[in-house]
Amino acid sequence: MKTKELLPELFEVEELAQKYNGLLKTEKLGEVSNGKYAFPIYGMSMGSTDPNAPVFGLFGGVHGLERIGTHVLLSFMRTLLYRTQWEKDWEDFFSRCRLVAIPIINPMGMALVRRGNGNNVDLMRNSPLRAEGKLIPLVSGQQISPSIPWYQGNNGIELENQLVDEFCKRYMFSSQRLITLDIHSGFGFKDRLWYPWATSSNPFPLEPQVLKLKELLDETHPFHVYKIEHQSLNYSNHGDLWDWIYQSYRTANPTGLYLPLTLELGSWLWVKKNIWQLFTWEGLFNPVKKHRYARTMRRHNQLLEFLLKASCYHETWSGS
Ligand SMILES: [Zn+2]
């Protein structure tokens, strides 16, 4: 089987990179391989190259089964890039702010239709952080076996996470005001926006800023669909990637303000409306029916644009 059939999303990333070469800087961060297949991991950036510029970071495809996150991300990027061609005010906007993205963090998992990476490690359970609080056996991370989901790995930090870490350090850590959004699917009936911590139920130090951002979203888009909550209200997990990146950012920038958000698309709703989806892995995590897929593609553009703007006009939530 050709890799295009296994991973059409990767071709979409390459097509975007080529089409908007010059506007969008695309870099191969590294490559994952399993002997049979090899896939590059791409990082993208557009806008201001000023190290201090505010940044919005978009990430997807951490869990290989949750392709829809990558689709939402790419759909937003495609629309935005097209719009910058004719809506001239974006030029001024991007002269002050930077958008960065890794659309497919775990290409091997996505190609092989599995949650974990090529080593079956759950990349969202693989950082060195240990969790406390509402721990669910196995689900919160396990080191028993790679053949059970939620495997944390036994070999340190996996290559994919090392590449995310290096990318964030290079493109984001010099900024003092930033927001990131990592898109997942598979939990609950609602679309949730989670803020840290995932590894503990302690209050997030920037909760006042998160609440300001929530107020801004509520006032700007009163009919938005998102439930905004502390991630550990649902469960805690060991080795969370974004708690780890956040802590590393704060060590480097004690006064910097960084809001790492996770969008968890409520896939149970799609399953409830089309019960047959229960019987395939992809159906459990992605909308299958055409109209529902199209609705999902439309539904989140507004939020992504809101977060991009809020990152740039950070005074609205940062208070400074
Ligand atoms: Zn996920």
Side-chain angles (χ1 to χ4, degrees), residues 61-66 115 122 124-125 182-187 194 235 262-264 285:
V62 169
H63 290 135
L65 286 171
E66 302 164 17
R115 179 181 173 91
D122 185 332
M124 206 38 85
R125 307 280 186 278
D182 179 24
I183 311 176
H184 289 251
S185 62
F187 181 87
W194 282 337
Y235 61 87
T262 299
L263 172 58
E264 185 77 31
F285 294 93

Side-chain angles (χ1 to χ4, degrees), residues 148-163:
I148 305 172
W150 312 292
Y151 180 55
Q152 292 169 248
N154 269 320
N155 241 334
I157 296 165
E158 293 291 304
L159 176 63
E160 294 87 340
N161 283 346
Q162 289 176 31
L163 297 176

Side-chain angles (χ1 to χ4, degrees), residues 25 27-32 41-45 55 59 98 100-102 105 126-127 157-175 178 180 241-242 244-246 248-249 252-253 258:
K25 184 183 158 207
E27 190 187 338
K28 181 177 163 182
L29 306 175
E31 186 176 273
V32 284
I41 297 177
Y42 290 114
M44 297 174 141
S45 71
V55 176
F59 298 87
R98 182 162 58 254
V100 303
I102 303 182
I105 291 177
N126 173 244
S127 85
I157 296 165
E158 293 291 304
L159 176 63
E160 294 87 340
N161 283 346
Q162 289 176 31
L163 297 176
V164 172
D165 180 43
E166 285 164 20
F167 178 80
C168 290
K169 283 183 174 138
R170 267 192 297 139
Y171 286 93
M172 296 175 5
F173 277 28
S174 58
S175 174
L178 55 149
T180 57
L241 175 61
W242 296 107
W244 179 58
I245 300 271
Y246 173 81
S248 149
Y249 172 81
N253 295 280
Y258 167 28

Side-chain angles (χ1 to χ4, degrees), residues 94-108:
F94 277 114
S95 70
R96 284 181 287 148
C97 317
R98 182 162 58 254
L99 170 65
V100 303
I102 303 182
I104 314 173
I105 291 177
N106 176 14
M108 188 63 76

